[in-house]
Amino acid sequence: IFRLYSIATIFIYIAAATKGDLHDGLVYLTTPGTLKEMEEGLEPTWSISGKILTMALFSTTGFLGSSCSAAITKSFGALTMSITSTARKATTIFLSFALFPNECTFEHVSGIFLFITSLVAKSLRASKRGHHHSHSHHQPHSHRHKHSQKVDNQAAPVIELGSGSNDSSNTSM
């Protein structure tokens, strides 16, 4: 992920420099205040160090979030990541209504109900599908039986703990 972000940063830097946005951004970053405060000549509420710290914190938390998303996908699969991501977005909306003076209409309540119902249905359907496939009759690949030792002209099975490879030439079950 870090390599991907680094490459993307280089291309964004080149595009911003070519378009002239890089210069405008540096002027904004090195001038105290918000854009509105700078344009209207108002008293600045943001310091230069505050802007830089905020950008660094947003970048760091964004990278951390992407890393966690990748870890969830790697460990639990894309469906679990999709459900987690959707639930995170819903939590953000719920917090928005709880912390800020937003009006909650009937449409909002209907949407919340539809969202929760869909999320539960998606989870249950995935759970049933995963439960159905987990009862397969395959032997684990961590143990391989070999008839390599002979005792009194009889083959004695030897169990080897291997790397889990699928080498069928050495497997006899």
Side-chain angles (χ1 to χ4, degrees), residues 138-173:
H138 296 287
Q139 295 289 332
H141 295 291
S142 61
H143 301 292
R144 293 186 298 178
H145 296 277
K146 289 175 75 174
H147 293 282
S148 60
Q149 294 180 347
K150 291 190 176 189
V151 179
D152 296 328
N153 293 331
Q154 290 184 339
V158 175
I159 299 175
E160 288 185 11
L161 297 176
S163 63
S165 65
N166 256 348
D167 188 6
S168 60
S169 64
N170 292 336
T171 306
S172 60
M173 291 189 189

Side-chain angles (χ1 to χ4, degrees), residues 94-158:
F94 291 141
L95 287 175
S96 154
F97 279 104
L99 299 176
F100 302 106
N102 295 324
E103 181 183 345
C104 188
T105 64
F106 176 73
E107 287 84 8
H108 290 111
V109 174
S110 301
I112 291 168
F113 177 75
L114 182 63
F115 166 77
I116 291 174
T117 304
S118 300
L119 189 63
V120 169
K122 186 177 185 180
S123 298
L124 290 175
R125 195 173 83 199
S127 175
K128 285 182 182 178
R129 209 180 293 151
H131 181 69
H132 181 266
H133 291 304
S134 68
H135 291 301
S136 62
H137 297 290
H138 296 287
Q139 295 289 332
H141 295 291
S142 61
H143 301 292
R144 293 186 298 178
H145 296 277
K146 289 175 75 174
H147 293 282
S148 60
Q149 294 180 347
K150 291 190 176 189
V151 179
D152 296 328
N153 293 331
Q154 290 184 339
V158 175

Side-chain angles (χ1 to χ4, degrees), residues 36-58:
K36 181 179 179 181
E37 293 168 348
M38 291 175 3
E39 290 175 344
E40 297 179 5
L42 300 174
E43 184 72 28
T45 56
W46 279 86
S47 66
I48 296 170
S49 59
K51 290 180 185 181
I52 293 172
L53 179 64
T54 301
M55 283 180 50
L57 285 174
F58 272 118

